[in-house]
């Protein structure tokens, strides 16, 4: 892949917090390899959106941080952080895992960090193909709870956003028999 700094296909500010979406950072063959590997991964119904929804867990598979640097997508993720750059700060991963959603799952709105924490979430969408009619979008909300942005699953798509933006991954629609995989990398700011 190219060493040129990737450019997002679109950006949006949600109450002064940035969302950036990228396509084309991996080949279709690479995306298919990730998808096939995830199909063999052990998923556990352990992930919760918020403390008040703890009775409604969804499927996740943790990824060891010690292995993250060996994945080709990690340097591509870091290269895509350009729009989020701040003087004297670099971002470091503190968690990586895959979410699995299927028709009938319940996924709640949540934030990934407290306001002002400066943390980022990078979401990679791994699928062999995705049909618009299948749903499965990631929705982003303003503080009043109004949906103001949407990212559709696409093979190899990357969405990076301020972790304080309220969001929810929506499960696939009834006509979709494919799993909706999102590989999440949580990044925290560190002084250089």
């Amino acid at each position: 892949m190219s060493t040129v700094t990737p450019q997002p296909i679109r950006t949006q500010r949600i109450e002064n917090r940035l969302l950036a979406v990228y396509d084309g950072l991996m080949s279709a063959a690479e995306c298919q390899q990730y998808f096939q590997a995830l199909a063999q991964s052990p998923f556990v119904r352990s992930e919760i959106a918020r403390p008040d929804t703890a009775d409604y867990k969804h499927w996740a598979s943790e990824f060891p941080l010690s292995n993250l640097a060996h994945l080709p997508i990690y340097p591509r993720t870091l290269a895509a952080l350009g729009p989020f750059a701040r003087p004297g700060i670099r971002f470091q991963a503190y968690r990586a895992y895959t979410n699995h959603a299927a028709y009938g799952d319940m996924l709640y709105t949540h934030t990934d960090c407290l306001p002002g924490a400066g943390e980022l979430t990078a979401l990679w969408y791994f699928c062999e193909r995705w049909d618009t009619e299948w749903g499965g979008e990631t929705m982003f909300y303003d503080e009043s709870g109004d949906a103001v942005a949407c990212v559709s699953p696409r093979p190899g798509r990357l969405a990076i956003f301020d972790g304080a933006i309220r969001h929810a991954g929506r499960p696939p629609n009834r006509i979709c028999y494919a799993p909706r995989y999102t590989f999440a990398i949580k990044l925290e700011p560190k002084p250089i």
Side-chain angles (χ1 to χ4, degrees):
M1 301 301 308
S2 172
T3 59
V4 176
T5 301
Q7 296 300 310
I9 61 165
R10 71 176 188 270
T11 61
Q12 183 172 343
R13 291 219 168 256
I14 302 169
E15 294 171 333
N16 208 32
R17 296 182 178 110
L18 185 61
L19 161 67
V21 180
Y22 299 83
D23 283 339
L25 300 184
M26 71 169 51
S27 70
E30 286 176 304
C31 189
Q32 187 170 19
Q33 286 177 325
Y34 279 103
F35 178 82
Q36 290 171 348
L38 289 172
Q40 305 300 315
S41 295
F43 285 88
V44 178
R45 193 177 286 272
S46 59
E47 195 69 16
I48 64 167
R50 308 183 308 255
D52 65 315
T53 65
D55 289 340
Y56 306 96
K57 294 177 174 62
H58 63 271
W59 297 101
S61 180
E62 292 292 327
F63 189 83
L65 276 181
S66 58
N67 294 343
L68 186 60
H70 302 293
L71 289 181
I73 61 168
Y74 188 57
R76 295 174 198 176
T77 303
L78 296 177
L81 296 179
F84 300 89
R86 292 180 274 181
I89 297 292
R90 67 176 173 82
F91 287 94
Q92 176 180 309
Y94 68 89
R95 185 178 180 210
Y97 61 100
T98 302
N99 291 299
H100 172 290
Y103 172 72
D105 285 339
M106 184 62 206
L107 306 173
Y108 288 90
T109 63
H110 62 282
T111 59
D112 292 339
C113 67
L114 295 173
E119 295 179 9
L120 302 177
T121 298
L123 274 186
W124 285 91
Y125 295 85
F126 293 134
C127 49
E128 294 178 305
R129 69 182 190 89
W130 200 265
D131 187 304
T132 301
E133 302 303 336
W134 291 355
E137 302 87 358
T138 303
M139 302 297 297
F140 295 87
Y141 302 85
D142 65 16
E143 290 179 10
S144 74
D146 194 17
V148 295
C150 173
V151 176
S152 301
R154 296 278 187 266
R157 175 166 277 178
L158 170 63
I160 302 175
F161 55 93
D162 184 314
I165 299 173
R166 186 174 172 192
H167 62 283
R170 293 299 177 207
N173 292 330
R174 175 179 241 167
I175 62 169
C176 177
Y177 294 97
R180 176 194 180 272
Y181 293 132
T182 53
F183 184 76
I185 302 171
K186 304 292 180 72
L187 301 145
E188 60 188 349
K190 294 286 188 181
I192 295 175

